[in-house]
Amino acid sequence: MSERRELTKQEEAIFKKELVQLIPHLRAFARTLAGDAAAADDLAQDAMMKAWDARGSFQLGTNMKAWTFMILRNQFYSEKRRSWRQTQLDQEAAERTLLAVDDPEAPIVLDEMRLALHQLPAEQREALILVGAGGFAYEEAADICGCAVGTVKSRVSRARRALQSILTDGSYERDGAPAGDAMRSILDHAERLSGVR
Amino acid sequence: MIEQSPKTTGSRRREQTRAADEARLRQQAIGVRLRQLFDEVVNEPVPDDFLEILRRADDSSKGGAR
């Protein structure tokens, strides 16, 4: 399984090209884990380099996106274990960043969504992101998270329910005011965007 | 049984359907928003240092390995 081998020049070029194409996705996934944009980019870079160094153990032709996401996720949790205190500080910085919004309209709603996402337990959040935004099948998400498919399914559905109730009832507070209208503006936005009915 | 209170049963069913529609609508909207949040970062230009780091690693593996 973890057989390492030397890639040919051609294989290496293919690997590198695919890896480069995945960078934007790694950045986006890292952002959902780390919150703070700068910390997220560090994480994405580390994951990219780990993937590059491990290229000899990647099976060309298999799902490289899932493979790199797994590397990124492992990297995140091993760093987090090493310095949970630092992570806590990062979290505070992230929340300050999230609250600092200049544009008065749509970004605020995005902001509500980010805040709501960060209220979810980490394992629910990542399952929902992988399946709901990353485009992964439940099976792939299970591989990435190292858990059973059924576990991913239940995490995703619990996350969806929790998000809906956070956004509807404003179960979190923002500058002292409940964000009760978040769901309303998200609905309005979705309608404007794509005519979702 | 059903004829006992057709109106109540019917309106309750309508009520349930409406609630289910509403819930589905909300979930769809959340899905749209979630993807947008993710895609917003995906669509950002990749900072130069990503490619720079990768290029350096590639060079050193070419030069150093053999």
Side-chain angles (χ1 to χ4, degrees), chain B residues 2-60:
Chain B
I2 294 168
E3 287 180 30
Q4 247 182 349
S5 56
K7 218 172 175 183
T8 319
T9 314
S11 71
R12 194 182 303 140
R13 195 174 301 137
R14 265 199 305 280
E15 186 76 7
Q16 281 169 350
T17 311
R18 212 173 53 82
D21 282 350
E22 181 73 18
R24 200 169 48 242
L25 195 72
R26 282 166 185 236
Q27 282 306 334
Q28 275 181 333
I30 287 174
V32 167
R33 185 52 88 175
L34 196 64
R35 274 191 297 280
Q36 196 191 24
L37 196 68
F38 194 83
D39 290 345
E40 206 183 48
V41 185
V42 172
N43 292 329
E44 280 177 16
V46 171
D48 291 339
D49 39 345
F50 276 85
L51 300 172
E52 180 61 26
I53 288 168
L54 196 56
R55 199 181 53 74
R56 274 208 305 269
D58 194 12
D59 286 349
S60 71

Side-chain angles (χ1 to χ4, degrees), chain A residues 143-160:
Chain A
D143 281 345
I144 293 169
C145 301
C147 65
V149 178
T151 308
V152 173
K153 285 184 180 168
S154 89
R155 282 175 186 172
V156 169
S157 80
R158 271 182 292 152
R160 287 197 168 124

Side-chain angles (χ1 to χ4, degrees), chain A residues 6 16 110 164 168 189, chain B residues 26-27 33 40 58 66:
Chain A
E6 199 78 4
K16 189 178 174 185
L110 268 186
Q164 185 167 328
T168 307
H189 182 86
Chain B
R26 282 166 185 236
Q27 282 306 334
R33 185 52 88 175
E40 206 183 48
D58 194 12
R66 61 196 87 145

Side-chain angles (χ1 to χ4, degrees), chain A residues 91-139:
Chain A
Q91 196 59 41
E92 282 167 25
E95 271 157 27
R96 277 199 303 279
T97 313
L98 292 174
L99 288 167
V101 177
D102 298 328
D103 194 321
E105 217 213 309
I108 288 186
V109 184
L110 268 186
D111 201 50
E112 309 280 17
M113 186 59 143
R114 270 188 206 278
L115 285 171
L117 267 177
H118 278 272
Q119 291 229 315
L120 300 179
E123 74 268 11
Q124 284 183 26
R125 181 169 63 242
E126 71 180 2
L128 181 65
I129 296 281
L130 290 171
V131 172
F136 290 103
Y138 285 114
E139 290 74 11

